[in-house]
Coordinates of all heavy atoms in Angstrom, one line a residue:
T1 N -18.0 16.5 -7.6 CA -17.4 16.6 -6.3 C -17.3 18.0 -5.9 O -17.6 18.4 -4.8 CB -16.0 15.9 -6.3 OG1 -16.1 14.6 -6.6 CG2 -15.4 16.0 -4.9
L2 N -17.0 18.9 -6.7 CA -16.8 20.3 -6.4 C -18.2 20.9 -6.0 O -18.3 21.7 -5.1 CB -16.2 21.1 -7.5 CG -14.7 20.8 -7.8 CD1 -14.2 21.6 -9.0 CD2 -13.9 21.1 -6.6
D3 N -19.3 20.6 -6.7 CA -20.5 21.1 -6.4 C -21.0 20.6 -5.0 O -21.6 21.4 -4.3 CB -21.6 20.6 -7.4 CG -21.5 21.3 -8.8 OD1 -20.9 22.4 -8.8 OD2 -22.0 20.8 -9.8
V4 N -20.7 19.3 -4.7 CA -21.0 18.8 -3.4 C -20.2 19.5 -2.3 O -20.8 19.9 -1.3 CB -20.7 17.3 -3.3 CG1 -20.8 16.8 -1.9 CG2 -21.6 16.5 -4.3
E5 N -19.0 19.8 -2.5 CA -18.1 20.4 -1.6 C -18.5 21.8 -1.2 O -18.2 22.3 -0.1 CB -16.6 20.3 -2.0 CG -16.1 18.9 -1.9 CD -14.6 18.8 -2.2 OE1 -13.9 19.8 -2.1 OE2 -14.1 17.8 -2.6
R6 N -19.1 22.5 -2.2 CA -19.5 23.9 -1.9 C -20.5 24.0 -0.7 O -20.4 25.0 0.0 CB -20.2 24.5 -3.2 CG -19.1 24.9 -4.2 CD -19.8 25.6 -5.3 NE -18.8 25.8 -6.4 CZ -19.0 25.4 -7.6 NH1 -20.2 24.8 -8.0 NH2 -18.1 25.5 -8.5
G7 N -21.3 23.0 -0.5 CA -22.2 23.0 0.6 C -21.7 22.5 1.9 O -22.4 22.4 2.9
L8 N -20.4 22.3 2.0 CA -19.8 21.7 3.2 C -18.8 22.7 3.8 O -18.2 23.5 3.1 CB -19.0 20.4 2.8 CG -19.7 19.3 2.1 CD1 -18.7 18.2 1.8 CD2 -20.8 18.8 3.0
D9 N -18.8 22.6 5.2 CA -17.8 23.5 5.9 C -16.4 22.8 5.8 O -16.2 21.7 5.2 CB -18.2 23.8 7.3 CG -18.2 22.5 8.2 OD1 -17.5 21.6 8.0 OD2 -19.0 22.6 9.2
E10 N -15.4 23.5 6.3 CA -14.0 23.0 6.2 C -13.8 21.6 6.7 O -13.2 20.8 6.1 CB -13.1 24.1 6.8 CG -11.6 23.7 6.6 CD -10.7 24.8 7.1 OE1 -11.1 26.0 7.3 OE2 -9.6 24.4 7.5
A11 N -14.3 21.4 7.9 CA -14.2 20.1 8.5 C -14.9 19.0 7.8 O -14.3 17.9 7.5 CB -14.6 20.1 10.0
Q12 N -16.1 19.3 7.3 CA -16.8 18.3 6.5 C -16.0 18.0 5.2 O -16.0 16.9 4.7 CB -18.2 18.8 6.1 CG -19.1 18.9 7.3 CD -20.3 19.7 7.0 OE1 -20.4 20.6 6.3 NE2 -21.5 19.3 7.7
R13 N -15.5 19.1 4.5 CA -14.7 18.8 3.3 C -13.5 17.9 3.6 O -13.1 17.1 2.7 CB -14.3 20.2 2.7 CG -15.3 20.8 1.8 CD -14.7 21.9 1.0 NE -14.1 23.0 1.8 CZ -14.8 24.0 2.3 NH1 -16.1 24.1 2.1 NH2 -14.2 24.9 3.0
S14 N -12.8 18.2 4.7 CA -11.6 17.4 5.0 C -11.9 15.9 5.2 O -11.1 15.1 4.8 CB -10.9 17.9 6.2 OG -11.7 17.6 7.4
V15 N -13.1 15.6 5.7 CA -13.5 14.2 5.8 C -14.0 13.7 4.4 O -13.6 12.6 4.0 CB -14.6 14.0 6.9 CG1 -15.2 12.6 6.8 CG2 -14.1 14.4 8.2
Y16 N -14.8 14.4 3.7 CA -15.4 14.0 2.4 C -14.2 13.7 1.5 O -14.3 12.8 0.7 CB -16.3 15.1 1.9 CG -17.0 14.7 0.7 CD1 -18.1 13.8 0.6 CD2 -16.6 15.2 -0.6 CE1 -18.7 13.4 -0.5 CE2 -17.2 14.8 -1.7 CZ -18.3 13.9 -1.7 OH -18.9 13.6 -2.9
R17 N -13.2 14.6 1.5 CA -12.1 14.4 0.5 C -11.3 13.1 0.7 O -10.8 12.6 -0.3 CB -11.2 15.6 0.5 CG -11.8 16.9 -0.1 CD -10.9 18.0 0.0 NE -11.5 19.2 -0.7 CZ -11.2 20.4 -0.4 NH1 -10.2 20.7 0.4 NH2 -11.7 21.4 -1.1
V18 N -11.2 12.6 1.9 CA -10.4 11.4 2.2 C -11.3 10.1 2.2 O -10.8 9.0 2.3 CB -9.6 11.5 3.5 CG1 -8.6 12.6 3.3 CG2 -10.5 11.7 4.7
L19 N -12.6 10.4 2.0 CA -13.5 9.2 2.0 C -13.5 8.5 0.6 O -13.6 9.1 -0.4 CB -14.9 9.8 2.2 CG -16.0 9.0 2.8 CD1 -15.6 8.4 4.1 CD2 -17.3 9.8 3.0
P20 N -13.1 7.2 0.6 CA -13.0 6.5 -0.6 C -14.3 6.1 -1.3 O -15.3 6.1 -0.6 CB -12.2 5.2 -0.2 CG -12.6 5.0 1.2 CD -12.8 6.4 1.8
E21 N -14.3 6.0 -2.6 CA -15.5 5.6 -3.3 C -15.7 4.1 -3.4 O -16.8 3.6 -3.6 CB -15.5 6.2 -4.7 CG -15.6 7.7 -4.7 CD -15.6 8.3 -6.1 OE1 -15.6 7.6 -7.1 OE2 -15.6 9.5 -6.1
Q22 N -14.6 3.3 -3.3 CA -14.7 1.8 -3.5 C -14.3 1.0 -2.3 O -15.0 0.1 -2.0 CB -14.0 1.4 -4.8 CG -14.6 2.1 -6.0 CD -14.0 1.5 -7.3 OE1 -13.3 0.6 -7.3 NE2 -14.4 2.1 -8.4
E23 N -13.1 1.2 -1.8 CA -12.6 0.4 -0.7 C -13.0 1.1 0.6 O -12.5 2.2 0.9 CB -11.1 0.2 -0.8 CG -10.6 -0.8 -1.7 CD -11.1 -2.2 -1.3 OE1 -11.0 -2.6 -0.1 OE2 -11.5 -3.0 -2.2
P24 N -13.8 0.4 1.5 CA -14.2 1.0 2.8 C -12.9 1.3 3.6 O -11.9 0.6 3.5 CB -15.0 -0.1 3.4 CG -15.4 -1.0 2.3 CD -14.4 -0.9 1.2
I25 N -13.0 2.3 4.4 CA -11.9 2.8 5.3 C -12.4 2.8 6.7 O -13.5 3.2 6.9 CB -11.4 4.1 4.8 CG1 -10.1 4.5 5.5 CG2 -12.4 5.2 4.9 CD1 -9.4 5.7 4.9
H26 N -11.5 2.3 7.6 CA -11.9 2.3 9.0 C -11.9 3.7 9.6 O -11.0 4.5 9.2 CB -10.9 1.4 9.8 CG -11.3 1.1 11.2 ND1 -10.9 1.9 12.2 CD2 -12.2 0.1 11.7 CE1 -11.4 1.4 13.3 NE2 -12.2 0.4 13.1
I27 N -12.7 4.0 10.6 CA -12.8 5.2 11.2 C -11.5 5.8 11.7 O -11.2 6.9 11.6 CB -13.9 5.3 12.3 CG1 -14.1 6.6 12.9 CG2 -13.5 4.3 13.4 CD1 -14.5 7.7 11.8
D28 N -10.6 4.9 12.3 CA -9.3 5.4 12.8 C -8.5 5.9 11.7 O -7.8 7.0 11.9 CB -8.6 4.2 13.5 CG -9.3 3.8 14.8 OD1 -10.1 4.6 15.4 OD2 -9.1 2.7 15.3
T29 N -8.4 5.2 10.6 CA -7.6 5.7 9.4 C -8.2 6.9 8.8 O -7.5 7.9 8.5 CB -7.5 4.6 8.3 OG1 -7.0 3.4 9.0 CG2 -6.6 5.0 7.2
L30 N -9.5 6.9 8.7 CA -10.2 8.1 8.1 C -9.9 9.4 9.0 O -9.6 10.4 8.4 CB -11.7 7.8 8.1 CG -12.6 8.8 7.4 CD1 -12.2 9.1 6.0 CD2 -14.0 8.4 7.4
S31 N -10.1 9.3 10.3 CA -9.8 10.4 11.1 C -8.4 10.9 11.1 O -8.2 12.1 11.1 CB -10.3 10.2 12.6 OG -9.4 9.2 13.2
T32 N -7.5 10.0 11.0 CA -6.1 10.4 10.9 C -5.8 11.1 9.6 O -5.1 12.2 9.6 CB -5.1 9.1 10.9 OG1 -5.3 8.5 12.2 CG2 -3.7 9.5 10.7
R33 N -6.3 10.6 8.5 CA -6.1 11.2 7.2 C -6.8 12.6 7.1 O -6.3 13.5 6.4 CB -6.7 10.3 6.1 CG -5.8 9.1 5.9 CD -6.3 8.3 4.7 NE -5.5 7.1 4.6 CZ -5.8 6.1 3.7 NH1 -6.8 6.1 2.9 NH2 -5.0 5.0 3.7
A34 N -7.9 12.8 7.8 CA -8.7 14.0 7.8 C -8.0 15.0 8.8 O -8.4 16.2 8.8 CB -10.1 13.8 8.2
G35 N -7.2 14.5 9.7 CA -6.5 15.4 10.7 C -7.5 15.8 11.8 O -7.3 16.9 12.4
L36 N -8.4 14.9 12.1 CA -9.4 15.2 13.2 C -9.5 14.1 14.1 O -9.0 12.9 13.9 CB -10.9 15.4 12.5 CG -11.0 16.5 11.5 CD1 -12.3 16.3 10.8 CD2 -10.9 17.8 12.2
S37 N -10.1 14.3 15.3 CA -10.3 13.2 16.3 C -11.3 12.2 15.8 O -12.2 12.6 14.9 CB -10.6 13.8 17.7 OG -12.0 14.3 17.6
V38 N -11.4 11.0 16.4 CA -12.4 10.1 16.0 C -13.8 10.6 16.3 O -14.7 10.6 15.5 CB -12.1 8.7 16.7 CG1 -13.3 7.8 16.5 CG2 -10.9 8.1 16.1
P39 N -14.0 11.2 17.5 CA -15.4 11.7 17.8 C -15.8 12.8 16.8 O -17.0 12.8 16.4 CB -15.3 12.2 19.2 CG -14.1 11.5 19.8 CD -13.2 11.2 18.7
E40 N -14.9 13.7 16.5 CA -15.2 14.8 15.5 C -15.5 14.2 14.1 O -16.5 14.5 13.5 CB -14.0 15.7 15.3 CG -13.7 16.6 16.4 CD -12.5 17.4 16.2 OE1 -11.4 16.8 15.9 OE2 -12.5 18.6 16.3
T41 N -14.8 13.2 13.7 CA -14.9 12.6 12.4 C -16.3 11.8 12.4 O -17.0 11.9 11.4 CB -13.8 11.6 12.1 OG1 -12.5 12.3 12.2 CG2 -13.9 11.0 10.7
L42 N -16.6 11.1 13.5 CA -17.9 10.4 13.5 C -19.1 11.3 13.5 O -20.1 11.1 12.8 CB -18.0 9.5 14.8 CG -17.2 8.2 14.8 CD1 -17.1 7.6 16.2 CD2 -17.7 7.2 13.8
A43 N -19.0 12.5 14.1 CA -20.1 13.4 14.1 C -20.2 14.0 12.7 O -21.3 14.1 12.1 CB -19.8 14.6 15.1
I44 N -19.1 14.3 12.0 CA -19.2 14.8 10.6 C -19.7 13.7 9.7 O -20.5 14.0 8.8 CB -17.7 15.2 10.2 CG1 -17.4 16.5 10.9 CG2 -17.7 15.5 8.7 CD1 -15.9 16.9 10.8
L45 N -19.3 12.5 9.9 CA -19.8 11.4 9.0 C -21.3 11.2 9.2 O -22.0 10.9 8.2 CB -19.1 10.1 9.4 CG -17.6 10.0 8.8 CD1 -16.9 8.8 9.5 CD2 -17.6 9.8 7.3
L46 N -21.8 11.4 10.4 CA -23.2 11.3 10.6 C -24.0 12.3 9.7 O -24.9 12.0 9.0 CB -23.6 11.5 12.0 CG -25.1 11.5 12.3 CD1 -25.8 10.2 11.9 CD2 -25.3 11.7 13.8
G47 N -23.5 13.6 9.7 CA -24.0 14.6 8.9 C -24.0 14.3 7.4 O -24.9 14.5 6.7
L48 N -22.8 13.7 7.0 CA -22.6 13.4 5.6 C -23.5 12.2 5.3 O -24.1 12.2 4.1 CB -21.2 13.0 5.3 CG -20.1 14.1 5.4 CD1 -18.7 13.5 5.2 CD2 -20.4 15.2 4.4
E49 N -23.7 11.3 6.2 CA -24.7 10.2 5.9 C -26.1 10.7 5.7 O -26.8 10.3 4.8 CB -24.7 9.2 7.1 CG -23.5 8.3 7.1 CD -23.6 7.3 8.2 OE1 -24.1 6.2 8.0 OE2 -23.0 7.6 9.3
L50 N -26.5 11.7 6.6 CA -27.9 12.2 6.5 C -28.1 13.0 5.1 O -29.2 13.0 4.7 CB -28.1 13.1 7.7 CG -28.2 12.4 9.0 CD1 -28.3 13.4 10.1 CD2 -29.4 11.5 9.1
R51 N -27.0 13.5 4.6 CA -27.1 14.2 3.3 C -27.0 13.2 2.1 O -27.0 13.7 1.0 CB -25.9 15.2 3.2 CG -26.1 16.4 4.2 CD -24.9 17.2 4.1 NE -25.3 18.6 4.0 CZ -24.5 19.6 3.9 NH1 -23.2 19.4 3.7 NH2 -24.9 20.9 3.9
G52 N -26.7 11.9 2.4 CA -26.6 11.0 1.4 C -25.2 11.0 0.8 O -25.0 10.5 -0.4
L53 N -24.2 11.5 1.4 CA -22.8 11.6 0.9 C -21.9 10.5 1.4 O -20.8 10.4 0.9 CB -22.3 13.0 1.2 CG -23.1 14.2 0.6 CD1 -22.5 15.4 1.1 CD2 -23.1 14.1 -0.9
A54 N -22.3 9.8 2.5 CA -21.4 8.8 3.1 C -22.3 7.6 3.5 O -23.5 7.7 3.7 CB -20.6 9.3 4.3
E55 N -21.6 6.5 3.6 CA -22.3 5.2 4.0 C -21.4 4.5 5.0 O -20.3 4.3 4.8 CB -22.5 4.3 2.8 CG -23.2 3.0 3.1 CD -23.4 2.2 1.8 OE1 -23.0 2.6 0.7 OE2 -23.9 1.1 2.0
Q56 N -22.0 4.1 6.1 CA -21.3 3.3 7.1 C -21.5 1.8 6.8 O -22.7 1.4 6.6 CB -21.7 3.6 8.5 CG -21.0 2.9 9.5 CD -21.3 3.3 11.0 OE1 -22.1 4.2 11.2 NE2 -20.6 2.7 11.9
L57 N -20.5 1.1 6.9 CA -20.5 -0.4 6.7 C -20.1 -1.0 8.0 O -19.8 -0.4 8.9 CB -19.6 -0.8 5.6 CG -19.8 -0.2 4.2 CD1 -18.7 -0.6 3.2 CD2 -21.2 -0.5 3.7
S58 N -20.2 -2.3 8.1 CA -19.9 -3.1 9.3 C -18.4 -2.8 9.7 O -17.6 -2.5 8.9 CB -20.1 -4.6 9.1 OG -19.2 -5.1 8.1
G59 N -18.2 -2.9 11.0 CA -16.8 -2.7 11.5 C -16.3 -1.3 11.5 O -15.1 -1.0 11.4
K60 N -17.3 -0.3 11.5 CA -16.9 1.2 11.6 C -16.1 1.5 10.3 O -15.1 2.3 10.4 CB -16.3 1.5 12.9 CG -17.1 1.4 14.0 CD -16.5 2.1 15.3 CE -17.5 1.9 16.4 NZ -17.0 2.5 17.6
R61 N -16.5 1.0 9.2 CA -15.8 1.3 7.9 C -16.8 2.2 7.1 O -18.0 2.0 7.2 CB -15.4 0.1 7.1 CG -14.5 -0.8 7.9 CD -14.2 -2.1 7.2 NE -15.5 -2.8 7.0 CZ -15.8 -3.4 5.8 NH1 -15.0 -3.4 4.8 NH2 -17.0 -4.0 5.8
F62 N -16.2 3.1 6.3 CA -17.0 4.1 5.6 C -16.6 4.2 4.2 O -15.5 3.9 3.8 CB -16.9 5.4 6.3 CG -17.5 5.5 7.7 CD1 -16.8 5.1 8.8 CD2 -18.8 5.9 7.9 CE1 -17.3 5.2 10.0 CE2 -19.3 6.0 9.1 CZ -18.6 5.6 10.2
L63 N -17.6 4.6 3.3 CA -17.4 4.9 1.9 C -18.1 6.1 1.6 O -19.0 6.6 2.2 CB -18.1 3.8 1.1 CG -17.4 2.4 0.9 CD1 -18.4 1.5 0.1 CD2 -16.1 2.6 0.1
R64 N -17.6 6.8 0.5 CA -18.3 7.9 -0.1 C -19.5 7.3 -0.8 O -19.4 6.3 -1.6 CB -17.4 8.6 -1.1 CG -18.0 9.9 -1.6 CD -17.1 10.5 -2.6 NE -15.9 11.1 -2.0 CZ -15.0 11.9 -2.6 NH1 -15.2 12.2 -3.9 NH2 -14.0 12.3 -2.0
Q65 N -20.6 7.9 -0.6 CA -21.9 7.5 -1.3 C -21.9 8.2 -2.7 O -21.8 9.4 -2.8 CB -23.1 8.0 -0.6 CG -24.4 7.4 -1.0 CD -24.5 5.9 -0.9 OE1 -23.9 5.3 0.0 NE2 -25.3 5.3 -1.6
I66 N -22.0 7.3 -3.7 CA -22.0 7.9 -5.1 C -23.5 8.1 -5.5 O -24.3 7.3 -5.4 CB -21.4 6.8 -6.1 CG1 -20.1 6.4 -5.7 CG2 -21.4 7.4 -7.5 CD1 -19.0 7.3 -5.8
A67 N -23.8 9.4 -5.9 CA -25.1 9.7 -6.3 C -25.5 9.2 -7.7 O -24.7 9.0 -8.5 CB -25.3 11.2 -6.2

């Protein structure tokens, strides 16, 4: 996790750290826990998805992608 986080900026780290590995979390809860707005969180999640670090599931739920 620490190696992955080194390549992330502060906002990306705040989302990545609250992203669960097993139980999907809804975008509203995720953004609240990260301390960001939903649009900001969605933009960050897109970047994390493109890096293979997050996965979106149905119902706007997200998980940390395990490498």
Side-chain angles (χ1 to χ4, degrees):
T1 301
L2 292 176
D3 288 339
V4 170
E5 289 186 22
R6 284 190 189 121
L8 303 176
D9 66 27
E10 186 176 334
Q12 290 169 326
R13 273 193 302 276
S14 69
V15 172
Y16 185 77
R17 287 177 177 162
V18 297
L19 208 52
E21 293 181 4
Q22 296 191 6
E23 278 296 315
I25 188 171
H26 190 268
I27 185 62
D28 292 340
T29 304
L30 183 59
S31 65
T32 298
R33 289 182 184 174
L36 301 168
S37 70
V38 170
E40 288 174 307
T41 305
L42 284 170
I44 290 167
L45 284 166
L46 177 59
L48 293 176
E49 284 183 87
L50 292 173
R51 291 174 138 185
L53 300 175
E55 178 182 2
Q56 182 173 0
L57 304 173
S58 63
K60 294 191 180 180
R61 297 174 305 134
F62 293 86
L63 279 175
R64 183 183 293 189
Q65 189 69 23
I66 310 286

